[in-house]
Amino acid sequence: MALDKMRIVGGNRLQGEILTSGSKNAALPLLAMTLLTRDPCELTAVPDLLDIQNMIKILRILGVDLTFLNHTVNAQTIKLNQVEAPYDFVRKMRASVLLLGPLLAKCGFARVSMPGGCAIGVRPINLHLKAFEALGAEIELKEGYVEAKASRLKGAEHTFESVTVTGTINALMAASLAVGESVFHNCAQEPEVFLTGEVLSKMGATVDGAGTKTIRIRGRNELKGFRADMIPDRIEAGTYLVASAITEGELFLRGANAEHLGAVIQKLRDCGAEIVEDVSGIFVKGKKLILPLEIQTAPFPGFPTDMQAQFMVLLSLARGRSLVHETIFENRFMHVAELIRMGADLKIKGPEVTIEGVQKLKGAPVMATDLRASASLVLAGLVSEGVTEVSRIYHLDRGYERMETKLASVGADIVRIMNQPEVEK
Ligand code: EPZ
């Protein structure tokens, strides 16, 4: 698993239908929310991904009774064994920071390793901690761990200095068991935040404004269990939209929600792709001529940073000069060097990449560095001449369910090459 590779022979047009999986970034917070109640919880359409498996491992260590079968999680927290999320887990998945809010709110104490950086940036959590302090928590940093404690959190008014998706979600989870009402300003508006608010309301907290910049939440002493169906994964869907656009394909993404992909769909249309949205999914037809354009990443509803690497492949084949400006993460151009090795004409200037369109890309052995960069290398392989081998695809497995199966089912020449057994990194 750890050293598997993806081998792609480029040149096939993709045609057919792909079923969109449930959203990883919706499932991760909702799994953490099972800590907030003693009642049973059920999550459906949960994608089977490395990040989900890791979160499940941590929850079981903390003491949650949890089963995961056929994309359904059943979980119940009767009694916690511990309130510490060890470094060994957190270093593999920074989304473990989502355990802080629920543990602090439910147990009055939490000890979670600082996530440490990852390939795309330092990834601090200061904004999460400031929100917890606003609710009355005492925060201490000890030997690389965050220790948060509070006998009982109290509702407060708090403005996030800058937009943070998991920071907004963490604050809502903590405030759901606080005394009184909290109002959070400058919140993230991602669909995953909207779903978090919906589920906390189902659990008994009164939440207004989730999905907008200002969210009000009234905490409760106890929260009820919940059943929740994951929203479709908008980044997985966006990735396959680009796969169709670059291969002059005709794909139907069943279950994809066009409302979660407005900025991406608009940019694909601006590039010349034909897109039809309906209640059951999104149809995309790629064209031979790809028009160049400028992209600037931004918090939802802007163009998602998680689609920047994938879109760079499309713009590498456009007729003319394009520009990509990454405003969210400080180091999210790890895919650029690899795409250059495949023949793309890219120049990094600080937070911007200038792209001169080329006629074709050429297959090459390349290495994945982070989740979305690895997706962009697979996309490049689909449209390159010759063979591309993408190594270290455990990055891919963190966020894409059975990518090779889904792509092969619509005509891609792609196989996973199993390599030596798991080597604990
Ligand atoms: C979420 O990460 C997503 N992960 C990321 O997706 C996504 O790229 C990101 O939002 C932006 O959309 C999950 O939802 C699990 P942020 P998150 O806090 O919440 C800085 C993927 O591919 N910041 O919105 O960690 C931060 O460094 C992943 O699935 C602080 O400075 O992102 C970044 O520059 C990758 N202090 C910016 O804010 C903080 O306390 C936005 O980060 C928190 C964040």
Side-chain angles (χ1 to χ4, degrees), residues 24-25 28 94-95 120 123-128 163-167 190 305-306 328-330 332 371-372:
K24 162 177 86 78
N25 291 351
L28 290 169
R94 68 175 312 290
I120 61 178
R123 311 292 297 272
I125 59 168
N126 57 315
L127 301 175
H128 300 236
V163 174
T164 163
V165 177
T166 49
E190 270 69 3
T305 172
D306 292 350
I328 307 288
F329 290 109
E330 70 270 23
R332 203 169 197 175
L371 170 52
R372 305 304 172 185

Side-chain angles (χ1 to χ4, degrees), residues 255-269:
N257 183 336
E259 282 169 24
H260 298 166
L261 280 161
V264 173
I265 288 171
Q266 186 52 57
K267 287 295 180 185
L268 280 168
R269 283 181 173 141

